[in-house]
Amino acid sequence: MNHQGTRTYNFNAGPSALPLTVLEKAQQELIDFRGSGMSVMELSHRSATYEEVHNQAIANLRKLMSISDEYEVLFVQGGGSTQFAMVPMNFLTPEKKAAYIMTGAWSEKAFSEAKLFGQVYQAASSKDSNYRYIPSLDEVKFEASDAYVHLTSNNTIFGTQWREFPNTGDVPLIADMSSDILSKPIAVNKFALIYAGAQKNLGPSGVTVVIIRKDMLELANKNIPTMLQYGIHAKNNSLYNTPPTFGIYLLGEVLNWVEETGGLDALTKRNEEKAKLIYDAIDQSNGFYYGHADVNSRSLMNLTFRVKDEELEKKFLAEAKKEGFVGLNGHRSVGGCRASAYNAVPYEACKALSQFMVSFQQANS
Ligand SMILES: *Cc1c(COP(=O)(O)O)cnc(C)c1O
């Protein structure tokens, strides 16, 4: 526990921190949602009261991400992981290949899932460096005849993030943005499809956002299970079956919070400042701390680093835990430390962590 009352410094990789004001509002509205005499979870998903929540969330996301009318915004279930299968099921036809850019564990999962449905190949990979960097744009090789090119915009486990996306021309570009959606402005119109589980930047787990260009819906395979067809969700405004109503409500409130705290530009600036606090602590430590990611591929969302020797690293993690920092252990596949500084992680939490890093170094060198 720390200086924010009972709220801890939450650096979890996902599910992760939500804005306190959103939680408080949800608490206040829980029992009697806007005069309905019931909670939002108890409303019919066909009621006008719920539909307003649903449509408002879509409208807010459209506005914040500048999503044009050429795109549908969908809410589906099954997490980012179901999208790994849904994308090839819908778009990987027998005569085409899909190109995957490999930048980490989530790209690998997307790739192996797509293999179940057709021909896939690697358009570029940074695996031989243990995914320390994002391949340069001219390393990315794909064919004009490909069904699509797939990339992971932010690599949650390795702590790398794309700065600039490849131009794929007429080949649809598809991105898993689970861990950096809405963390900075993105040119949505570069993409044919964007998907993201909500539990990192947008809300609780259980809702997955899909932003899909309408022409893709015509291309999509219709001989697959109904619930796995993007077109069905699009045609029914994501109300074909019961959507995760409470999660969508919270997602909408998170988007209101983004708006109320200055919108996407202000949020981007906060994210940059937050990440800088921690990267500065690493870079100014004379090697006491060192990053996993190459400097020019560093993520603003997941900051991965090591302490110079393993004993000290254990001690660092143990002491950090005692000081109320949660979620700093790196993913089991990379080890070390990872601070996930998603949108809702307060500046103060990052400030406290960077101060802790400096004082730990002073006490242990
Ligand atoms: C967390 C994450 C996923 C997995 O999401 P689930 O909702 O747990 O299926 C996929 N891709 C990336 C980049 C992630 O960070």
Side-chain angles (χ1 to χ4, degrees):
M1 298 310 129
N2 55 52
H3 329 287
Q4 311 163 81
T6 60
R7 298 281 291 168
T8 193
Y9 290 134
N10 183 354
F11 289 97
N12 279 334
S16 46
L18 287 165
L20 180 58
T21 54
V22 168
L23 296 174
E24 285 168 343
K25 184 167 180 204
Q27 184 178 48
Q28 203 180 38
E29 293 188 321
L30 188 68
I31 309 272
D32 178 11
F33 182 70
R34 298 175 198 171
S36 65
M38 59 185 82
S39 74
V40 76
M41 286 175 277
E42 299 166 289
L43 289 171
S44 164
H45 62 295
R46 308 286 174 207
S47 65
T49 313
Y50 174 70
E51 236 178 308
E52 194 184 321
V53 170
H54 188 93
N55 291 336
Q56 192 62 51
I58 295 171
N60 283 356
L61 192 66
R62 281 191 178 282
K63 183 166 171 230
L64 284 167
M65 290 183 69
S66 308
I67 303 168
S68 79
D69 288 344
E70 268 182 280
Y71 292 79
E72 296 279 0
V73 174
L74 311 178
F75 297 133
V76 297
Q77 300 192 56
S81 301
T82 299
Q83 293 306 303
F84 296 161
M86 233 169 119
V87 164
M89 284 175 99
N90 279 267
F91 303 117
L92 185 48
T93 49
E95 70 282 4
K96 293 195 171 194
K97 291 184 186 155
Y100 279 72
I101 307 176
M102 311 301 285
T103 53
W106 295 115
S107 314
E108 287 181 4
K109 286 201 168 156
F111 183 71
S112 43
E113 203 71 359
K115 256 190 221 164
L116 299 170
F117 300 100
Q119 298 180 72
V120 291
Y121 71 97
Q122 303 194 353
S125 174
S126 55
K127 188 181 172 78
D128 55 9
S129 75
N130 199 19
Y131 296 121
R132 276 175 208 286
Y133 66 94
I134 298 292
S136 68
L137 295 187
D138 44 293
E139 277 173 72
V140 177
K141 301 283 183 257
F142 61 93
E143 303 286 330
S145 57
D146 287 342
Y148 58 85
V149 176
H150 179 280
L151 63 81
T152 315
S153 60
N154 181 76
N155 300 284
T156 325
I157 293 173
F158 296 94
T160 62
Q161 185 174 25
W162 289 76
R163 298 272 188 286
E164 201 189 335
F165 296 106
N167 257 322
T168 55
D170 290 336
V171 182
L173 181 60
I174 296 182
D176 174 1
M177 295 197 183
S178 292
S179 53
D180 71 345
I181 190 164
L182 200 67
S183 65
K184 59 177 183 182
I186 289 286
V188 171
N189 58 10
K190 274 202 133 181
F191 298 89
L193 192 158
I194 291 168
Y195 62 87
Q199 68 270 26
K200 280 121 188 182
N201 264 338
L202 298 178
S205 61
V207 196
T208 305
V209 169
V210 174
I211 301 165
I212 183 169
R213 209 172 56 216
K214 288 176 180 164
D215 63 343
M216 294 296 285
L217 296 170
E218 283 138 48
L219 280 177
N221 187 352
K222 308 293 187 294
N223 298 309
I224 54 174
T226 311
M227 281 295 290
L228 302 179
Q229 295 182 32
Y230 291 111
I232 291 288
H233 295 288
K235 205 165 84 194
N236 293 281
N237 190 29
S238 303
L239 288 159
Y240 171 75
N241 75 324
T242 318
T245 53
F246 191 66
I248 292 169
Y249 155 70
L250 282 177
L251 181 148
E253 290 302 332
V254 169
L255 299 179
N256 284 336
W257 166 83
V258 173
E259 195 74 71
E260 284 157 14
T261 51
L264 188 53
D265 288 340
L267 183 59
T268 306
K269 191 159 167 275
R270 284 201 301 278
N271 286 337
E272 285 166 355
E273 288 168 356
K274 278 153 53 184
K276 186 173 188 305
L277 286 168
I278 294 158
Y279 284 132
D280 280 354
I282 296 170
D283 294 342
Q284 292 162 13
S285 72
N286 284 318
F288 185 86
Y289 303 106
Y290 59 98
H292 174 78
D294 285 356
V295 171
N296 53 11
S297 293
R298 278 176 169 174
S299 170
L300 294 183
M301 296 283 100
N302 309 98
L303 298 78
T304 48
F305 61 95
R306 308 290 314 232
V307 184
K308 69 175 181 184
D309 78 64
E310 250 169 73
E311 280 314 304
L312 266 184
E313 191 167 85
K314 276 192 203 138
K315 189 176 175 200
F316 173 81
L317 287 168
E319 284 191 18
K321 199 169 165 188
K322 260 196 265 161
E323 293 295 315
F325 297 99
V326 172
L328 290 180
N329 284 70
H331 189 270
R332 55 192 185 276
S333 60
V334 218
C337 314
R338 168 176 57 174
S340 296
Y342 297 122
N343 288 350
V345 173
Y347 179 87
E348 293 68 38
C350 296
K351 181 91 192 160
L353 178 58
S354 76
Q355 283 167 348
F356 172 74
M357 289 171 74
V358 170
S359 54
F360 181 84
Q361 181 185 354
Q362 282 164 354
N364 291 281
S365 3

